């Protein structure tokens, strides 16, 4: 690798956040906005991970609790946030414990998850970044919901 400063094309910007004490990230291109948590309007017969809908820019956006999705439900706190993501041509809100920072990393520092990560969790993971003793799990936003769940979500909406 050359010591010449890399161009911005070789860097990835990640929005990092915490869920259940673990560091996660979304690619900044998928993040539209970060909002303070507000209780959504409940949806009858919605799947458990779907908290309800949030009015955002005149549209109803489904709100997914990533903490429940990842099996680490936790109480709402002052720094609980809703991250609005671009999602398959629409928008989706994701509830996280706290948004920590925007991190710029070299694209090559985002590595594939080890083969040991299997099952449901492996589908969510786009890659890992290990930096200063922290392991940040970069999530693949399009895989946060299975096809069946996406259908359930459309049905509930």
């Amino acid at each position: 690798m050359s010591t010449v400063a890399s161009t911005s094309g070789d860097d990835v910007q990640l929005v990092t956040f915490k869920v259940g004490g673990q560091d996660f990230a979304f690619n900044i291109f998928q993040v539209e906005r970060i909002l303070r948590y507000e209780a959504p309007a409940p949806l009858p017969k919605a799947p458990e991970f779907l908290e309800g809908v949030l009015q955002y820019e005149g549209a109803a956006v489904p709100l997914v609790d990533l903490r429940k999705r990842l099996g680490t439900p936790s109480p709402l706190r002052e720094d609980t946030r809703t991250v609005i993501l671009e999602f398959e041509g629409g928008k989706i809100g994701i509830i996280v414990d706290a948004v920590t920072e925007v991190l710029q990393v070299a694209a090559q520092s985002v590595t594939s998850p080890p083969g040991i990560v299997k099952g449901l969790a492996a589908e969510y993971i786009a890659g890992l970044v290990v930096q200063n003793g922290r392991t940040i799990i970069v999530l693949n936003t399009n895989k946060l919901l299975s096809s069946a769940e996406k259908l359930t979500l459309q049905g509930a909406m």
Side-chain angles (χ1 to χ4, degrees):
M1 190 166 142
S2 82
T3 53
V4 179
S6 67
T7 61
S8 61
D10 298 329
D11 284 348
V12 181
Q13 282 196 308
L14 302 172
V15 175
T16 65
F17 57 92
K18 293 217 179 266
V19 172
Q22 171 64 54
D23 289 296
F24 290 93
F26 290 128
N27 188 308
I28 200 164
F29 291 119
Q30 294 168 307
V31 176
E32 178 166 307
R33 184 163 287 167
I34 296 162
L35 306 170
R36 293 183 84 77
Y37 174 81
E38 279 179 45
L43 273 179
K45 300 193 184 119
E48 190 199 358
F49 64 85
L50 182 63
E51 287 288 293
V53 291
L54 195 65
Q55 283 300 318
Y56 174 73
E57 293 188 345
V61 174
L63 203 55
V64 171
D65 192 335
L66 192 59
R67 301 149 341 143
K68 285 182 183 167
R69 171 90 280 200
L70 297 173
T72 58
S74 54
L76 296 170
R77 293 197 300 260
E78 182 62 32
D79 44 6
T80 300
R81 293 290 179 266
T82 299
V83 181
I84 305 289
L85 298 174
E86 297 284 336
F87 187 75
E88 303 194 343
K91 300 197 186 349
I92 190 169
I94 306 288
I95 302 169
V96 302
D97 287 332
V99 172
T100 43
E101 63 188 319
V102 173
L103 197 61
Q104 188 159 326
V105 297
Q108 60 268 29
S109 71
V110 181
T111 58
S112 300
I116 198 166
V117 180
K118 296 239 184 321
L120 200 55
E123 291 177 31
Y124 303 154
I125 300 175
L128 300 176
V129 176
V130 179
Q131 198 176 54
N132 306 329
R134 278 166 73 201
T135 300
I136 301 165
I137 299 170
V138 182
L139 294 175
N140 180 340
T141 52
N142 293 329
K143 294 278 196 312
L144 285 176
L145 302 178
S146 69
S147 336
E149 287 167 343
K150 286 174 193 170
L151 289 172
T152 308
L153 185 64
Q154 287 165 352
M157 295 293 289

